[in-house]
Amino acid sequence: MQRAVRHAIPRAVFRRVLEAIAVALILATICFALVHAIPGDMALRTAVSRLGVENTSPGAVEQIRESEMLSRPLIAQYGDWLGAVVTGDIGRSFVSGRPVAEELLGASGYTLRLAAIAWLLSYAFALPLGIAAGLAPNGALDRATALAAAALSSLPTFMIGIALISVFVLSLDWLPPAGYRRPEHLVLPALTLALGLMAPSVRIIRNAVVEVQDASYMTYARIRGFGRIKAFARHGLRNAGVPIVTFAALQFAYLMDGFFVVETLFNYPGIGDAMVKALLARDVPVVMGCALLIGTTYAGISLLAYLICMALDPRLVDEGHGSR
Amino acid sequence: MAAADRRYLWMSGVAAVLIVSVVAAVWHRDPLHQDLMVALAPPSLGFPLGTDHLGRDVFARLFHALPRSIGIATAAMAAAAFFGTSAGLIAAASNRLVDGALMRLTDLALAFPGLLLAMVLAGLMGGGTMPVLLGISLAQWPQFARMTRTIAATVLTEAHIEASRLAGLAEWRILLRQVMPRVLSQTMALATLGVGGAVLTISSLGFLGLGLQPPTPEWGAMITELLPYMDLAKIQIAAPCIALFLTVLACMAAGRRLAEAR
Amino acid sequence: MPRNIWLAALIAAMFASPLSAFAQDELRVVEPFQLQRLDTQTGGFQLRANGVTETLVQTNPEASVLPALAERWETSADGLHWTFYLRPDVTFHDGTSMTPETVAASFKALLPKGNLIKNAKIKDVTAGEGTVTFTLEQPFAPFLAYLLDPAVPVLAPSSFGPDGEVTAIVSTGPYRIESAELPQGLNLVRHDAYWGEVAKIERVRVDGVPNPETRVNIALAGEGDLVLEIPTTAIARVDRSGEAKIVRAPVPRVVMMLVNVKKPQFADVGIRRALSLAVNREAIAVTVMGNAELAANQYFPPAMKGWHFDDFKPQTFNLTEANRILEELGWVRGADGIREKDGIKFAGMMQTFPQRAYLPVIAEALQAQLKEIGFDLTIQVGESSLIPEAQNNGTLELGLGIRTMIYQVPDPVARLTTDFATDEPSTDATGATGWKSEAMREAVAAYNRTSDPAERLPLQRKMAEILQDELPVIPITFTDEKYAISERLEGFVADPVMQTRPLNHLSFKE
């Protein structure tokens, strides 16, 4: 079995990487089509985003059409982009004029910092709560977390954010309302996201733990004289880990949605904000750069989750050579 | 959960929507009627939940918003469920190549955040019901496809299917007659959960100012509109918050019960 | 064990970098615009407003043109040559001296990028003995005003790259750019060798925060010293917070209904008058803008002397009169209360945008008010660029937009030209749609030929009268600017016309 694992994993990783590239390219192509399919004057949109609602002149619009070469056939524009991407150049933003890579690097840095903190924070709460609830199904804690999780997942992110702002900023005056420059600026956005992330994960963790508890090897371990918690720590944790890791990777899309609301609410710079602005401004290079980034990040996260699952439970490698 | 229990769940859901619709219809005030002179009035007999910044009855708006939000959410989920389930069934019944391609497409769509999609559509198309509906269903169909594909794959390996195949039943017939019913109950559960999520998305869009077009009453938009008047309109803000919370909670609870019912 | 070290390093890395540089005694300016790029064409307005860039002339809060980098100027008899006498001993942010040659070179490089200054048709810029002379293709009386186009400031030679592109902003203002974090903000530091009043506060941080509620929260939490564009609804909250107080100043900006006069239901001027009479402007001004005096009974606000005329017949709220006009024109109410004529519905879709929070609210109010005269208004809120797009392809029915009449250039005729006297396609959600007036164009041309106030006044009246009589756009309400000023700040004077902030006059209380 060990040998099988050693051979299967590099092959699966290689396949995943190829897939990730394909997914990212297709996503970018779809975005290109979407931006161009929707009617409207591209140059005008870009000009308004650059110059502001009241300050765009016909001359500026024509200048942008000229300099960004927007009147060429779409297939030529797409071909040029693809050709440049192969050489590692993803272009310059129509709006800001800076290289897309530089812009996305800046935005995704902020997003990554916030995402990592929010994610860690959510599991710092969810793991102990979920495990404790799962070890005693239908106990008081289980019921309480079920209720809290149901309540939290019924609240939109903006309501959680507004509630946190009114308590910690406006009433208690403990934290700053908006910004990104100091560590305390990150607290409220991270907490807003973490509360939203936490609600489903507590239940997933709890269910995984319950399922493992009922498994035969746990009964066996208990017969061998291990205590409830010790048996779980020795045998259960590993097995419960697989569905939890799989789910954690799936939270990516939720995080992206949450980002946009949080970025708007707390004036935090990030990738959600960058992408929506770029789409509205028809800033094609940035839109496609975002698509590439989101595609590869998503694929990267699911690859990571896959590898962790393999490490937790090598038996999974046999099943389907790494397809989900 | 027994069939009777499930019926009870459905009936209570339908009854709740009916009651709200009746209240909305009977309540004598027009949710669109403005009287700028009574803007931000506190709750009274005439206005049980007070008035908003344009002097409209918050109670009437609250109740008119429910059927609309639920309606759009249901329509979006129905579309998502239809296309997702079809894609899942086709994938399950097809050869490796088509199956693989369809499932990769599903993964791809799953990676794309739904709120963002709806927002962009609303921003580019100019708002309204259509972009909201489209955005939500585009973001939600992969879930259905994936679930259907998993269930169908399990069912298709069962012995009685093999028997039907040997009996000469066409593949699509097997899919419709024997696989579909098994998929359907789970689809209903997922869709009910999804309606809750869709109501949240609609209100988030309203919050960002890109949802349904004014003056259509919508909870997210009602909250955003009144947020600047936080001091004067606490009850007017709390009411849509609570309504939104309870509706989503009910959808989620119903969906979970349906999912466990199998 | 090594795993923990990695984790620690990761967490340390997350908190490092841009979070460190921060000083508590900096002046924190919060404005609604985010700077997209550091060039004068896109960021010129913000750069000038925050005291980074300057040009030959400047304005005071009354919008009069005063000397700046030029001490005085003169015009040749034929009006084709404008000579500016430069202030001696002006130092750029990089420490180099300003000379006539550098000024002329700066203008030559930046003029092609100008937005409004192109209307002045500058043929040449030449450096003389302590002077710079502009040669025009034809006499252009409002030249001084157009010289204030923020896209064309005076920049040092070190601002330009080898190919003549702007690579840095090195100007002469009281503050220089230390670093930029685009699009979020700018870090400014005092220019110690400034020719005028040297700034009292050493460092300034400018943040672009588009969401108005977030700006309010910043003001409420005492996290901003000068917060711009506070919504009306938050005035009481900010005043009560003890952290900041509100300064209000009228701004020459109108909220108006754009009307496509090519559409059959709006073609008759009588109909536009009826629509105008059906709008209860006082109610909108009170409930939405928080000030009854902002009701717009004509295009120009009262503060604009020489453009606002008290003797104009006001567009006061009068439903009876509005209904009478419509009956007379043959528009008959149907069973649903909506009027109709020759199969044409008395209806229209109004497009507006959410960037100014009051616009959708006013649209909703208009919808209810116009229903009273049997007009069926539907609303569409989307991107602002949808409106000029619809204007250009003729699909626009109604729009709700804003126009700042004195914007960037201190002469209203600059915007009147682009809004009401041009054949060029529309690029802003402002101005006339399908409306053309030879009288208006003649008045604009005549105005541009003379700088004599006595000759200009009747022309100004003529332009205002045309707008009042023909209603190519229907004014609804004016707006005012609300600044939140922190308790520790003193010396702030609002400049609502040019929207500059004299940051060098500000100081912190002891």
Side-chain angles (χ1 to χ4, degrees), chain C residues 319-346:
Chain C
L319 280 182
T320 335
E321 176 69 5
N323 278 316
R324 191 192 59 77
I325 294 175
L326 291 169
E327 296 288 342
E328 214 166 71
L329 291 170
W331 291 85
V332 198
R333 275 185 199 265
D336 52 356
I338 304 304
R339 289 180 189 273
E340 229 184 280
K341 182 187 177 182
D342 306 331
I344 299 164
K345 269 233 174 269
F346 195 39

Side-chain angles (χ1 to χ4, degrees), chain B residues 9-10 69-85 136-137 140-145 147-148 151 180 183-202 247-260:
Chain B
L9 196 64
W10 278 112
S69 284
I70 294 274
I72 294 172
T74 311
M77 291 319 288
F82 177 77
F83 289 108
T85 310
I136 294 173
S137 26
Q140 295 299 322
W141 72 266
Q143 291 196 28
F144 290 94
M147 189 195 69
T148 306
I151 296 175
M180 213 30 208
V183 171
L184 213 57
S185 68
Q186 285 303 301
T187 304
M188 288 312 277
L190 192 60
T192 315
L193 268 177
V195 167
V199 170
L200 282 187
T201 306
I202 294 171
T247 309
V248 179
L249 197 65
C251 289
M252 299 267 179
R256 224 162 280 139
R257 291 291 295 275
L258 286 173
E260 285 161 11

Side-chain angles (χ1 to χ4, degrees), chain C residues 163-413:
Chain C
D163 53 350
E165 284 296 296
V166 174
T167 52
I169 303 294
V170 183
S171 186
T172 59
Y175 281 98
R176 64 180 166 83
I177 297 173
E178 185 187 47
S179 61
E181 294 160 40
L182 300 185
Q184 287 82 36
L186 285 175
N187 299 309
L188 307 180
V189 65
R190 177 169 64 202
H191 178 38
D192 289 312
Y194 184 53
W195 59 267
E197 186 182 339
V198 174
K200 299 181 184 74
I201 300 171
E202 194 190 345
R203 312 183 73 85
V204 177
R205 164 75 188 187
V206 184
D207 268 300
V209 180
N211 187 335
E213 277 306 296
T214 310
R215 285 200 302 279
V216 171
N217 288 340
I218 290 173
L220 289 177
E223 291 274 318
D225 293 308
L226 173 53
V227 185
L228 276 82
E229 293 201 15
I230 295 286
T232 310
T233 48
I235 292 175
R237 269 190 290 158
V238 174
D239 271 337
R240 233 180 309 118
S241 71
E243 298 282 356
K245 58 182 185 309
I246 296 284
V247 172
R248 290 181 87 146
V251 83
R253 180 183 297 145
V254 69
V255 175
M256 67 202 155
M257 215 159 99
L258 310 171
V259 188
N260 185 350
V261 301
K262 286 264 166 66
K263 294 282 173 196
Q265 68 269 41
F266 307 122
D268 195 307
V269 67
I271 294 173
R272 303 203 290 277
R273 192 155 300 131
L275 286 173
S276 179
L277 289 169
V279 177
N280 188 347
R281 295 176 168 84
E282 274 71 24
I284 290 175
V286 170
T287 46
V288 186
M289 312 309 285
N291 183 355
E293 283 170 18
L294 292 174
N297 287 316
Q298 47 184 287
Y299 185 74
F300 291 102
M304 288 180 69
K305 301 276 177 286
W307 294 90
H308 178 97
F309 296 93
D310 289 331
D311 58 330
F312 277 5
K313 192 176 165 229
Q315 307 275 338
T316 5
F317 179 54
N318 189 342
L319 280 182
T320 335
E321 176 69 5
N323 278 316
R324 191 192 59 77
I325 294 175
L326 291 169
E327 296 288 342
E328 214 166 71
L329 291 170
W331 291 85
V332 198
R333 275 185 199 265
D336 52 356
I338 304 304
R339 289 180 189 273
E340 229 184 280
K341 182 187 177 182
D342 306 331
I344 299 164
K345 269 233 174 269
F346 195 39
M349 156 131 62
M350 175 180 271
Q351 289 178 248
T352 188
F353 47 94
Q355 277 81 2
R356 302 263 176 188
Y358 48 75
L359 287 180
V361 181
I362 294 176
E364 282 182 84
L366 288 174
Q367 183 177 46
Q369 294 183 356
L370 295 181
K371 204 172 172 187
E372 301 291 316
I373 55 163
F375 185 81
D376 183 17
L377 181 72
T378 44
I379 301 171
Q380 194 188 45
V381 183
E383 277 302 291
S384 64
S385 49
L386 288 171
I387 296 178
E389 234 168 65
Q391 281 180 321
N392 292 339
N393 65 24
T395 54
L396 186 86
E397 289 175 345
L398 295 169
L400 190 68
I402 52 164
R403 171 44 96 198
T404 314
M405 291 133 190
I406 303 184
Y407 187 60
Q408 305 201 341
V409 163
D411 191 328
V413 89

Side-chain angles (χ1 to χ4, degrees), chain C residues 445-463:
Chain C
Y447 180 93
N448 283 342
R449 279 192 299 268
T450 170
S451 51
D452 179 5
E455 274 179 60
R456 277 186 167 189
L457 191 62
L459 292 168
Q460 293 170 3
R461 189 183 168 93
K462 176 90 191 153
M463 290 185 241

Side-chain angles (χ1 to χ4, degrees), chain B residues 125-151:
Chain B
M125 290 163 68
T129 312
M130 217 37 217
V132 175
L133 218 157
L134 212 64
I136 294 173
S137 26
L138 275 175
Q140 295 299 322
W141 72 266
Q143 291 196 28
F144 290 94
R146 201 181 248 203
M147 189 195 69
T148 306
R149 162 78 173 68
T150 315
I151 296 175

Side-chain angles (χ1 to χ4, degrees), chain A residues 6 8 35 88 112 132 181 240 281 293:
Chain A
R6 225 174 293 139
V35 171
L112 201 66
R181 291 196 293 161
L293 187 72

